[in-house]
């Protein structure tokens, strides 16, 4: 059986998807991880039937609804977990209204995997007639933060991180590859008449995000100059244009390190301190028992998650941050985490879920080399070499910059070395065509 797993942003999701694939793999299963367009093309061109699709969201776009209905008519099982989670805002109903519409996709798919009891209970109440589809699941991403998953120091060595370090997580939008204009247009198109309800938040949060980016960069400079025990490392969001930002930070302080490769998990597990504002990295750091500081949380109306910021020690000034770091104070926030997250082993659950799906055996044959280097492809390569795209025009390509052999080899080695209940088989991989990762039993 073929199991297709969607990935949108490789730097954020690829590690957890590969860990998930190890839970799914056996001598009869083949796992293919790729972006949504590639997966759709593979299924359509190879006329795949009786397989499983694990999606990254339940976006109610008309073309997706049509495709999911087509899959169901061909014996597919569809499972989804929203990568955004919905755990940042206090009001989950706003999140689900923006992301899930009226639940059109929920009525088609087989299961929706919830991050914890908050979204689980909310969705069961809202969609009573299909409440059986919701699973209080957790996430492989959360599993990877536990001590069962070990990371190496290869990325640290590559980035010249030679001692303990302070990690600043940048989830700020001004340096995203996707321009603000394009982002607003996409949301306006998707939400249609409902866009007006959320427009103010989108515009105002951008302004607050820009201020936070400045404050965090000032803090990074201050910390690097006022102590010598730790190196100072900035980890930008995977959608961040790190190359441009790196040039700007050089004019601030050449000793600040900016790391854009690999998965955030690999940095959090190795850091001593995490500094963030309304960033999901705080969840990861608490599970890993790191010191967490929530910086500049006051007077933020739109770029603000009270829940996430409550996971850290709140500081408003540079000096206050430095004092907390020197105190090595760590607050145990697992009681707060449990309100929105299921921290039990999700890898066992996905295995049981797949076993319960009654899918007929089908001898699918799949051609993974559908991206041939034809004349048009070569011609475009030559054109772009001499006439590069304008800045921001290729933002979609940057989502998959971590889809490379060395990065995946490192992750697979770590995944194979991890020790979780339910993980029996080790895995091997091949990269086929552009951004298509094939996972087999080792």
């Amino acid at each position: 059986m073929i199991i297709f797993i969607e990935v949108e942003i490789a730097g954020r999701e690829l590690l957890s998807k590969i860990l998930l694939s190890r839970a799914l793999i056996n001598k009869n299963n083949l796992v293919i991880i790729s972006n949504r367009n590639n997966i759709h093309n593979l299924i359509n061109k190879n006329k795949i039937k009786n397989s499983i699709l694990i999606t990254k969201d339940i976006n109610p776009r008309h073309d997706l609804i049509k495709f999911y209905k087509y899959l169901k008519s061909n014996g597919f099982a569809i499972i989804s977990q929203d990568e955004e989670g919905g755990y940042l805002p206090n009001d989950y109903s706003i999140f689900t209204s923006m992301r899930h519409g009226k639940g059109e996709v929920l009525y088609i798919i087989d299961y929706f995997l919830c991050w914890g009891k908050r979204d689980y209970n909310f969705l069961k109440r809202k969609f009573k007639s299909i409440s059986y589809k919701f699973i209080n699941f957790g996430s492989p991403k959360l599993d990877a933060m536990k001590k069962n998953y070990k990371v190496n120091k290869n990325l640290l060595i590559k980035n010249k991180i030679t001692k303990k370090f302070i990690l600043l997580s940048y989830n700020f939008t001004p340096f995203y590859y996707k321009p603000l204009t394009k982002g607003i247009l996409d949301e306006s198109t998707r939400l249609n008449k409902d866009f007006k309800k959320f427009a103010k938040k989108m515009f105002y949060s951008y302004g607050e995000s820009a201020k936070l980016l400045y404050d965090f960069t000032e803090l990074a400079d201050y910390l690097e100059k006022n102590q010598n025990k730790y190196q100072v490392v900035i980890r930008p969001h995977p959608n961040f244009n790190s190359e441009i930002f790196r040039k700007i930070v050089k004019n601030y302080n050449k000793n600040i390190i900016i790391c854009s490769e690999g998965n955030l998990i690999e940095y959090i597990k190795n850091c001593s301190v995490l500094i963030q504002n309304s960033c999901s990295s705080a969840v990861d750091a608490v599970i890993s028992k790191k010191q967490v500081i929530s910086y500049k949380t006051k007077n933020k109306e739109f770029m603000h998650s009270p829940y996430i910021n409550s996971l850290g020690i709140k500081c408003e000034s540079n000096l206050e941050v430095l004092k907390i770091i020197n105190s090595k104070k760590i607050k145990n926030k697992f009681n707060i985490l449990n309100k929105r997250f299921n921290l039990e082993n999700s890898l066992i659950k996905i295995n049981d879920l797949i076993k319960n799906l009654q899918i007929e055996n089908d001898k699918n044959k799949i051609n993974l080399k559908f991206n041939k280097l034809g004349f048009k492809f070569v011609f475009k390569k030559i054109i772009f070499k001499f006439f590069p795209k304008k800045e921001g025009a290729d933002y979609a390509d940057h989502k998959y910059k971590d889809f490379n052999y060395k990065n995946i080899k490192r992750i697979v080695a770590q995944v194979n070395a991890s020790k979780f209940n339910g993980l029996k088989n080790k895995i091997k991989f091949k990269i086929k065509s552009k951004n298509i990762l094939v996972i087999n039993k080792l």
Side-chain angles (χ1 to χ4, degrees):
M1 180 171 60
I2 304 174
I3 303 173
F4 297 92
I5 303 177
E6 290 183 353
V7 61
E8 180 183 15
I9 303 172
R12 179 181 68 182
E13 303 156 23
L14 192 56
L15 188 153
S16 62
K17 302 302 185 189
I18 293 174
L19 181 58
L20 175 64
S21 72
R22 189 180 164 199
L24 297 171
I25 210 71
N26 59 45
K27 64 179 181 180
N28 298 316
N29 290 349
L30 172 75
V31 175
I32 295 175
I33 302 173
S34 192
N35 61 60
R36 176 169 283 167
N37 287 339
N38 277 353
I39 288 175
H40 287 201
N41 285 335
L42 284 170
I43 291 171
N44 285 328
K45 290 188 176 183
N46 292 278
K47 297 180 180 179
I48 303 296
K49 296 181 179 181
N50 302 330
S51 298
I52 296 173
L53 172 65
I54 300 177
T55 73
K56 65 181 184 63
D57 60 30
I58 50 170
N59 187 332
R61 271 177 16 207
H62 294 302
D63 60 318
L64 293 177
I65 290 172
K66 183 179 178 181
F67 182 68
Y68 297 149
K69 288 180 178 179
Y70 164 77
L71 293 184
K72 291 303 296 177
S73 70
N74 282 281
F76 262 79
I78 305 173
I79 301 170
S80 182
Q81 181 167 50
D82 197 318
E83 283 296 332
E84 297 299 329
Y87 44 80
L88 294 177
N90 278 348
D91 188 348
Y92 185 78
S93 66
I94 296 174
F95 170 84
T96 192
S97 295
M98 288 185 69
R99 296 279 296 181
H100 308 152
K102 296 177 181 178
E104 295 92 335
V105 176
L106 287 170
Y107 289 97
I108 302 170
I109 67 174
D110 295 86
Y111 294 113
F112 184 78
L113 309 179
C114 301
W115 286 76
K117 61 184 179 182
R118 185 177 81 143
D119 52 335
Y120 174 70
N121 290 332
F122 180 93
L123 292 168
K124 278 177 74 74
R125 287 194 301 268
K126 185 173 181 180
F127 301 100
K128 291 180 181 178
S129 65
I130 53 170
S131 60
Y132 64 91
K133 292 189 175 188
F134 303 108
I135 309 296
N136 189 353
F137 183 70
S139 169
K141 180 179 182 290
L142 300 177
D143 293 329
M145 295 312 305
K146 299 169 188 172
K147 62 181 180 180
N148 311 60
Y149 188 91
K150 305 292 184 184
V151 298
N152 56 45
K153 297 184 183 294
N154 293 356
L155 282 177
L156 306 190
I157 295 167
K158 186 175 182 180
N159 286 285
K160 298 180 180 179
I161 302 172
T162 56
K163 60 182 182 181
K164 293 179 179 180
F165 65 97
I166 300 164
L167 182 66
L168 291 89
S169 184
Y170 275 47
N171 57 323
F172 314 124
T173 52
F175 278 85
Y176 277 16
Y177 284 106
K178 191 174 191 176
L180 173 65
T181 49
K182 175 63 175 168
I184 296 292
L185 176 61
D186 287 349
E187 288 302 298
S188 174
T189 303
R190 185 174 69 84
L191 293 168
N192 204 346
K193 293 179 181 179
D194 289 333
F195 173 71
K196 190 175 179 180
K197 298 177 186 177
F198 307 104
K200 184 177 181 180
K201 175 177 172 56
M202 292 177 192
F203 284 106
Y204 275 58
S205 62
Y206 188 88
E208 289 184 0
S209 184
K211 291 178 182 178
L212 281 169
L213 189 147
Y214 170 79
D215 290 338
F216 267 63
T217 308
E218 284 284 317
L219 174 63
D221 180 49
Y222 174 85
L223 292 174
E224 199 285 321
K225 290 175 178 174
N226 286 277
Q227 57 78 40
N228 56 20
K229 185 177 181 180
Y230 304 97
Q231 287 179 278
V232 176
V233 177
I234 291 173
R235 166 64 183 195
H237 188 280
N239 279 339
F240 216 80
N241 192 326
S242 301
E243 294 309 310
I244 287 181
F245 187 65
R246 190 175 277 111
K247 292 175 184 177
I248 293 170
V249 172
K250 264 188 180 179
N251 295 324
Y252 255 87
N253 188 326
K254 292 181 180 180
N255 294 322
I256 296 172
I257 300 170
I258 298 174
C259 296
S260 57
E261 294 177 78
N263 193 286
L264 177 61
I265 290 171
E266 298 174 273
Y267 295 98
I268 289 179
K269 287 212 164 195
N270 283 306
C271 78
S272 297
V273 185
L274 172 76
I275 303 174
Q276 62 81 43
N277 185 308
S278 305
C279 181
S280 61
S281 59
V283 175
D284 303 334
V286 171
I287 297 173
S288 294
K289 299 180 180 179
K290 303 294 182 177
Q291 185 184 61
V292 181
I293 294 173
S294 299
Y295 184 58
K296 291 285 185 182
T297 62
K298 291 183 178 178
N299 303 317
K300 302 292 186 299
E301 184 180 355
F302 298 95
M303 180 67 185
H304 184 47
S305 172
Y307 173 76
I308 291 294
N309 288 335
S310 72
L311 296 172
I313 301 167
K314 294 179 182 178
C315 296
E316 290 297 315
S317 70
N318 295 349
L319 180 59
E320 195 178 358
V321 170
L322 186 56
K323 285 181 177 179
I324 292 297
I325 291 172
N326 289 332
S327 75
K328 298 184 179 179
K329 184 179 180 182
I330 298 177
K331 286 189 175 182
N332 187 329
K333 299 283 186 173
F334 274 89
N335 60 323
I336 299 175
L337 275 186
N338 288 324
K339 291 179 180 179
R340 296 191 186 180
F341 297 99
N342 185 338
L343 299 178
E344 296 172 355
N345 185 340
S346 71
L347 303 171
I348 291 178
K349 294 176 191 173
I350 193 67
N351 230 325
D352 292 340
L353 208 61
I354 297 296
K355 288 176 183 175
N356 290 335
L357 290 169
Q358 295 182 349
I359 300 175
E360 294 180 16
N361 289 328
D362 197 278
K363 295 181 180 179
N364 289 301
K365 292 183 179 180
I366 187 163
N367 175 18
L368 295 163
K369 297 181 179 180
F370 66 91
N371 286 319
K372 294 181 179 178
L373 299 181
F375 172 77
K376 286 185 179 180
F377 180 86
V378 176
F379 181 72
K380 283 181 179 180
K381 283 284 185 183
I382 295 169
I383 290 295
F384 289 143
K385 182 177 180 180
F386 294 101
F387 303 98
K389 293 180 182 180
K390 293 180 180 179
E391 189 61 48
D394 57 349
Y395 62 87
D397 291 339
H398 292 282
K399 291 183 177 183
Y400 307 104
K401 62 185 178 183
D402 283 321
F403 223 107
N404 63 73
Y405 180 82
K406 287 184 178 179
N407 185 52
I408 293 171
K409 182 181 178 182
R410 186 186 69 256
I411 293 172
V412 168
Q414 292 174 172
V415 166
N416 278 336
S418 62
K419 297 178 180 178
F420 289 93
N421 289 333
L423 295 189
K424 297 178 181 179
N425 300 311
K426 294 189 176 183
I427 58 174
K428 60 182 179 180
F429 76 96
K430 287 183 179 179
I431 298 176
K432 297 282 189 177
S433 299
K434 186 180 179 182
N435 301 330
I436 299 176
L437 178 62
V438 180
I439 305 288
N440 293 100
K441 180 178 176 293
L442 184 63

